[in-house]
Amino acid sequence: MAAIAIGCGAGFSGDRVDAAAPVVRTLVERGGPAALIFENLAERTLALQHLARRADPQLGYEPALVQELEPVLADCLRHGITIVGNFGAANPRGAADVVRRLAVRLKLPVPRVAVVEGDDLSDERGQALMRAHLDGGFDAERFVCANAYQGAMEIAAAIRAGAQVVVTGRVADPSLVLGPALAHHGWAADDWDALAGGTMAGHLLECGAQVTGGYFADPGRKDVPGLEDVGFPIAEIDADGSCVVTKAGGTGGVVDCRTVKEQLLYEVHDPAGYLTPDVVADITQASVTQVGPDRVRLAGVKGHPRTPTLKALAFFDGGWLGEAEISYAGPNAEARARLALDVLRKRLGGGLALRCDLIGVTSILGDDGNRLLAAHARGAATDVRLRVAARDASQAAIDRLLREVTALWTCGPAGGGGARGSKRQRLSSRSCLLPRELAPARFELV
């Protein structure tokens, strides 16, 4: 059976919305079976969308969904390129409605859209499961949401049922790619090696431009041409689960053995046992071979039976994070910034544990301000930005921090300017394993 080409249009929520168009153009020029995936969910991203849906039941899906799909929807529908995305986030049905309305606005035939559900454990039943399986107790008052990581089987079933667009909530990132590969090649549910190969192809694609040189680039050490127009990846997946990774034609970036190996090992704590809902993948005997310009073959991935459990992640209200900044420039600027910091510490007392950075003197490698800032040799920097941050359960305490930094405008030291502050709700997370029969996935054509 011919290989299926699967391209990536996004690697996270906030990724470039113009990245998918060159991928789709390349898939169309190539011809043959194809799919396009959008990977929009990090853990915190999903929890934030749950909060957005609480505020407005019509929201909760990827905010940039229209911007992502509008440039490519017509070509995908016209050329039979299946779209699969976890852009449903906390509201997959809302996202499905957006897709259908977008097609109407673009005067396209309304696509057959499937919604994959079963991951959301935020209702009373799901909270009961969290109470039973989370270690360390369950704080109902601070509970925000819980989701189980679903796999590729329902995605594949939806495609076989005729879906042109498949909208999911939380599924494992590689499952977005494994689903269309599974539907195309018809692998058995226990064809472990093929499932593992398709899963690792998905792992290579899931972070977008990381595998095509983006996160890889390091000038003078790992040079990447045309990074300003880095192309997003495409995997051509064969019937045995092996794949060739390439990228959108006519774009910058690079695909070579180095970029593929880096992404292959990314976030893999055990190369012999990479756990997903679909299979346990083993890459210890895998081969990575350059087979052409910007073409790398991954083969030899082995698979083992999937585990009887699914990972579930619960989020809780973690209080508030506030951060504020003010600049000092000119002669004696560093001393004035340090004096401002001393003023803040005395004004705020010991109620808040402050993270303090002198940007331009010590910030990233300063790590936590109090100890390392005191130990840092005092210099004569003439361009310093003071940043102070704190976290607290009380929003009022954070508001006071922001007011105190703003007050430095006129309360001294001299010459402060450009003060600004912001605050946001924090989230804490805890994970557990659930017997998979307690969180069954399902799909529906809507």
Side-chain angles (χ1 to χ4, degrees):
M1 181 177 289
I4 180 173
I6 303 177
C8 177
F12 67 100
S13 180
D15 213 339
R16 294 175 179 171
V17 295
D18 61 348
V23 173
V24 170
R25 182 188 66 241
T26 304
L27 294 175
V28 171
E29 292 171 353
R30 176 187 180 274
L36 176 68
I37 67 115
F38 290 87
E39 201 291 277
N40 285 135
L41 287 187
E43 285 75 11
R44 187 173 179 274
T45 308
L46 179 55
L48 291 173
Q49 292 308 323
H50 275 281
L51 291 174
R53 191 177 185 186
R54 280 188 186 181
D56 183 345
Q58 302 301 314
L59 300 180
Y61 50 81
E62 165 58 42
L65 178 55
V66 171
Q67 293 96 314
E68 286 183 335
L69 289 187
E70 187 166 3
V72 299
L73 184 59
D75 281 339
C76 286
L77 296 179
R78 186 178 300 116
H79 295 280
I81 298 172
T82 305
I83 297 173
V84 180
N86 57 17
F87 38 58
N91 189 2
R93 290 183 179 268
D97 288 343
V98 169
V99 174
R100 292 166 59 86
R101 291 199 303 269
L102 175 61
V104 171
R105 178 165 68 79
L106 297 177
K107 298 181 180 180
L108 301 171
V110 177
R112 297 184 297 277
V113 181
V115 171
V116 176
E117 297 175 304
D119 64 297
D120 192 347
L121 302 176
S122 303
D123 58 9
E124 291 185 4
R125 176 181 174 276
Q127 292 183 49
L129 290 175
M130 293 297 101
R131 286 190 182 91
H133 291 86
L134 277 178
D135 291 332
F138 179 85
D139 190 341
E141 290 187 2
R142 290 186 171 273
F143 176 76
V144 173
C145 64
N147 291 79
Y149 285 70
Q150 300 290 359
M153 297 301 168
E154 283 67 34
I155 296 173
I159 295 171
R160 287 194 292 263
Q164 297 166 287
V165 180
V166 181
V167 181
T168 80
R170 169 51 73 202
V171 299
D173 298 349
S175 299
L176 297 171
V177 171
L178 180 59
L182 180 60
H184 173 69
H185 288 300
W187 295 323
D190 59 356
D191 190 346
W192 304 120
D193 288 350
L195 294 176
T199 292
M200 296 318 294
H203 179 65
L204 291 177
L205 263 60
E206 68 187 50
C207 293
Q210 283 197 190
V211 76
T212 57
Y215 203 61
F216 170 86
D218 190 355
R221 300 184 180 187
K222 298 183 296 182
D223 291 315
V224 175
L227 193 60
E228 74 282 356
D229 187 33
V230 62
F232 274 45
I234 296 169
E236 300 167 357
I237 304 174
D238 289 316
D240 63 354
S242 63
C243 71
V244 171
V245 180
T246 182
K247 67 181 181 70
T251 60
V254 64
V255 178
D256 62 22
C257 291
R258 301 172 303 161
T259 68
V260 170
K261 287 177 181 178
E262 281 200 11
Q263 179 61 26
L264 192 63
L265 295 172
Y266 179 71
E267 293 182 338
V268 175
H269 81 283
D270 182 1
Y274 179 56
L275 304 180
T276 78
D278 305 297
V279 66
V280 178
D282 179 351
I283 60 173
T284 57
Q285 304 301 314
S287 63
V288 176
T289 309
Q290 193 88 35
V291 294
D294 292 321
R295 293 179 63 82
V296 173
R297 182 173 183 79
L298 172 66
V301 178
K302 298 299 181 183
H304 306 291
R306 65 182 68 89
T307 64
T309 56
L310 297 174
K311 177 183 176 180
L313 194 62
F315 276 90
F316 299 87
D317 179 355
W320 291 84
L321 171 67
E323 57 179 334
E325 299 178 0
I326 187 169
S327 294
Y328 295 90
N332 214 29
E334 183 176 338
R336 285 182 281 127
R338 289 182 183 274
L339 177 56
L341 174 56
D342 184 57
V343 168
L344 290 172
R345 286 176 175 152
K346 290 176 178 177
R347 292 278 300 172
L348 292 167
L352 285 175
L354 301 180
R355 157 68 191 253
C356 309
D357 298 311
L358 296 182
I359 300 171
V361 178
T362 177
S363 53
I364 294 175
L365 297 181
D367 201 25
D368 177 327
N370 296 345
R371 178 174 59 84
L372 288 173
L373 273 179
H376 189 271
R378 294 176 181 265
T382 59
D383 186 349
V384 179
R385 186 144 178 94
L386 170 64
R387 174 186 179 271
V388 183
R391 57 190 181 193
D392 198 88
S394 167
Q395 184 177 353
I398 298 301
D399 287 339
R400 185 185 174 200
L401 167 66
L402 303 184
R403 288 196 304 272
E404 289 292 343
V405 173
T406 300
L408 291 173
W409 276 104
T410 59
C411 292
R420 67 103 188 159
S422 65
K423 63 184 177 183
R424 64 178 182 271
Q425 189 174 9
R426 297 182 71 247
L427 296 163
S428 63
S429 65
R430 290 162 56 202
S431 63
C432 64
L433 297 177
L434 290 178
R436 61 173 61 233
E437 64 270 14
L438 296 181
R442 59 191 179 276
F443 82 91
E444 180 182 345
L445 286 166
V446 296

